[in-house]
């Protein structure tokens, strides 16, 4: 796992517990769906808008556009392609989306099957 962090991070006003939950959910998914030998990269910094941006990129199984739509719906696990029997409730990404939006921010997901995913959280200032 790699972490990139600039010397100065833009300020974020957020509930500490919610912030931890977002990070835990995103990292849990990255670890769960990245095969052995894959890479996970965490980056934090200033986005184009000047806001604080947290980005988690992995070389995991990735998702199609349809699987992405399902993944952000509560209990809507992406599919058998990306889930493992008996693991997860299908709530991780929907919780992150709800929490970041409750904080005035937004979540963006870029994912391709077989190539991995990049999830970006942009926080309000």
């Amino acid at each position: 796992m790699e972490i990139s962090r600039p010397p100065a991070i833009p300020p974020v006003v957020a509930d500490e517990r919610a912030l931890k939950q977002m990070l835990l959910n995103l990292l849990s998914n990255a670890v769960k769906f990245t095969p052995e030998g894959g890479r996970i990269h965490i980056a934090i910094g200033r986005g184009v808008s000047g806001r604080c941006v947290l980005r988690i990129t992995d070389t995991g199984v990735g998702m199609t556009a349809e699987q992405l739509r399902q993944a952000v719906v509560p209990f809507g696990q992406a599919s058998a392609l990306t889930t493992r029997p008996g693991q997860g409730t299908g709530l991780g990404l929907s919780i992150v989306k709800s929490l970041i939006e409750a904080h005035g921010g937004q979540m963006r997901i870029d994912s391709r099957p077989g190539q991995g995913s990049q999830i970006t959280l942009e926080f309000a200032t």
Side-chain angles (χ1 to χ4, degrees), residues 77-99:
Q77 290 185 336
S79 79
L81 172 68
T82 57
T83 58
R84 297 176 185 169
Q87 288 192 353
T89 59
L91 288 171
L93 288 178
S94 66
I95 288 172
V96 173
K97 184 177 186 297
S98 294
L99 288 172

Side-chain angles (χ1 to χ4, degrees), residues 26 30 41 43 53-60 62-63 68 93 107-112 115-121:
L26 294 177
H41 184 247
V53 172
L54 171 68
R55 182 171 292 126
I56 297 180
T57 306
D58 65 56
T59 58
M63 295 179 277
L68 281 173
L93 288 178
M107 177 174 79
R108 290 186 305 278
I109 304 174
D110 180 30
S111 187
R112 290 178 179 70
Q115 295 181 10
S117 300
Q118 181 177 80
I119 301 179
T120 303
L121 301 181

Side-chain angles (χ1 to χ4, degrees), residues 5-77:
R5 180 186 175 277
I9 298 173
V12 171
V13 177
D15 177 76
E16 182 179 350
R17 185 172 170 215
L19 187 58
K20 286 179 182 178
Q21 187 67 58
M22 288 185 270
L23 187 57
L24 177 66
N25 288 6
L26 294 177
L27 287 174
S28 175
N29 279 353
V31 169
K32 188 185 313 181
F33 298 120
T34 299
E36 188 173 332
R39 293 179 55 208
I40 298 170
H41 184 247
I42 304 166
I44 189 164
R46 186 177 305 272
V48 177
S49 65
R51 293 174 160 190
C52 182
V53 172
L54 171 68
R55 182 171 292 126
I56 297 180
T57 306
D58 65 56
T59 58
V61 297
M63 295 179 277
T64 66
E66 178 56 32
Q67 290 170 327
L68 281 173
R69 283 189 285 279
Q70 283 296 314
V72 296
V73 174
F75 304 105
Q77 290 185 336

